[in-house]
Amino acid sequence: EPISLIHFITNRCNARCSFCFIDFNHPDIFKQELSIQEIKKLTTQLGRSLLNVNLTGGEPFARKDIIDIAKAYIDNTTIQSMYITTNGSLPDRILNFAKEINNYSKELELTFQISIDDMPKEHNKVRKIDNLFENCLKSYNLLKNLKINNVNPIISITVSHENCDNIRNIFQF
């Protein structure tokens, strides 16, 4: 039985990162995500050993039912922690998720991995979303300002040929 699971809940994404492995031009790329019914069924079959799930994508907050997905894992498994890997572009959805899931399960450790890959202008260019860097910081600060011990925003850097020579500067910035 698994201890940790990475669940790609969607291929949908509002970014078009130069390093992404998703083929957005493939006609069936968005037909592959599991329905909420399928996810509930999956979570009831994972056994009693699961400690962590990482909800990722695409952009996981592109799914409007992400709260229901999280609740399925909380209700049907033994998870103690949940990671959400996000591009940080949807601060209001991220904040709402954090509040609602924390209210639903006070013991669950919630970690938001917010991707920042470069200095502001370059980051927005590589991910092809205007003001993305600003929204990443907004998402980070909204979560930090909740002052809830088990809600942890962290910054995660995707290293690619475009930023590999600048990692130390990006990190310090």
Side-chain angles (χ1 to χ4, degrees):
E1 294 180 344
I3 293 171
S4 185
L5 183 74
I6 299 172
H7 185 161
F8 285 78
I9 63 171
T10 187
N11 282 328
R12 284 181 272 170
C13 192
N14 51 356
R16 290 296 178 267
C17 306
S18 55
F19 51 78
C20 188
F21 54 83
I22 297 172
D23 178 5
F24 291 103
N25 296 320
H26 192 284
D28 296 328
I29 199 67
F30 302 117
K31 295 177 183 169
Q32 299 168 2
E33 61 187 42
L34 298 176
S35 69
I36 191 65
Q37 291 78 16
E38 289 170 317
I39 292 170
K40 285 178 180 176
K41 184 178 178 186
L42 165 72
T43 58
T44 60
Q45 297 171 354
L46 289 171
R48 310 307 301 159
S49 63
L50 193 66
L51 299 178
N52 172 266
V53 65
N54 181 342
L55 303 182
T56 188
E59 171 49 46
F61 289 99
R63 272 196 79 155
K64 292 195 169 79
D65 60 353
I66 188 172
I67 289 172
D68 296 324
I69 293 169
K71 287 179 178 179
Y73 276 98
I74 293 164
D75 291 344
N76 301 324
T77 71
T78 52
I79 60 166
Q80 296 172 8
S81 63
M82 180 177 289
Y83 285 65
I84 300 98
T85 305
T86 176
N87 66 25
S89 63
L90 301 164
D92 297 335
R93 286 192 194 181
I94 292 169
L95 180 64
N96 182 52
F97 178 92
K99 287 179 179 175
E100 190 155 337
I101 294 304
N102 181 258
N103 284 335
Y104 192 74
S105 177
K106 297 276 187 207
E107 305 80 44
L108 186 71
E109 197 75 26
L110 260 182
T111 301
F112 294 83
Q113 293 179 229
I114 301 168
S115 300
I116 292 184
D117 308 316
D118 219 323
M119 300 305 199
K121 199 169 123 187
E122 293 79 10
H123 179 72
N124 296 345
K125 185 179 162 201
V126 165
R127 290 187 172 251
K128 299 175 184 67
I129 300 180
D130 292 340
N131 302 313
L132 179 58
F133 188 92
E134 295 74 10
N135 276 325
C136 288
L137 291 185
K138 182 179 179 185
S139 297
Y140 181 89
N141 288 318
L142 285 170
L143 293 170
K144 236 357 184 192
N145 292 336
L146 284 176
K147 296 188 179 2
I148 299 172
N149 283 339
N150 58 335
V151 172
N152 311 298
I154 62 170
I155 301 300
S156 138
I157 299 175
T158 302
V159 179
S160 71
H161 68 280
E162 290 159 304
N163 67 359
C164 63
D165 295 333
N166 206 17
I167 294 300
R168 182 174 295 280
N169 294 336
I170 296 164
F171 181 76
Q172 287 170 341
F173 184 81

